[in-house]
Amino acid sequence: MSLRHRLRRVLPPVLVEELRRISAGGIRFSGDYPNWQAACGDAIGYGSEEILRRVTDATRQVVAGKAVFERDSVLFAELAYPYPVL
């Protein structure tokens, strides 16, 4: 039996829900919208022109040899291997 399953059996449901909320990285869905398009109109995210500009600038710097790689528009001077993936 996993630790997660054991904890769910002994913790009060209110605490389990709070832990689930915290582990979601703070993402919350709220509001009273008549449809998905109306909700998207109030949302911000990866469709942002600012994000596109930042990623494009970072990619250009990598191509120009000013950085080794970029991740989410953040430039890195040294290779970083994702050891959990390896």
Side-chain angles (χ1 to χ4, degrees), residues 1-64:
M1 183 183 312
S2 71
L3 176 62
R4 178 185 226 178
H5 187 71
R6 284 186 217 147
L7 287 174
R8 289 183 89 175
R9 291 179 70 190
V10 297
L11 293 176
V14 171
L15 187 55
V16 170
E17 185 57 35
E18 184 64 18
L19 290 171
R20 181 181 295 134
R21 185 188 64 76
I22 291 169
S23 69
I27 296 173
R28 291 179 183 75
F29 299 99
S30 63
D32 187 18
Y33 296 97
N35 56 45
W36 183 254
Q37 290 75 23
C40 287
D42 281 352
I44 57 173
Y46 286 106
S48 164
E49 290 294 323
E50 174 64 16
I51 292 174
L52 176 61
R53 185 193 61 75
R54 289 175 54 192
V55 171
T56 302
D57 291 345
T59 303
R60 286 186 176 137
Q61 290 188 43
V62 171
V63 170

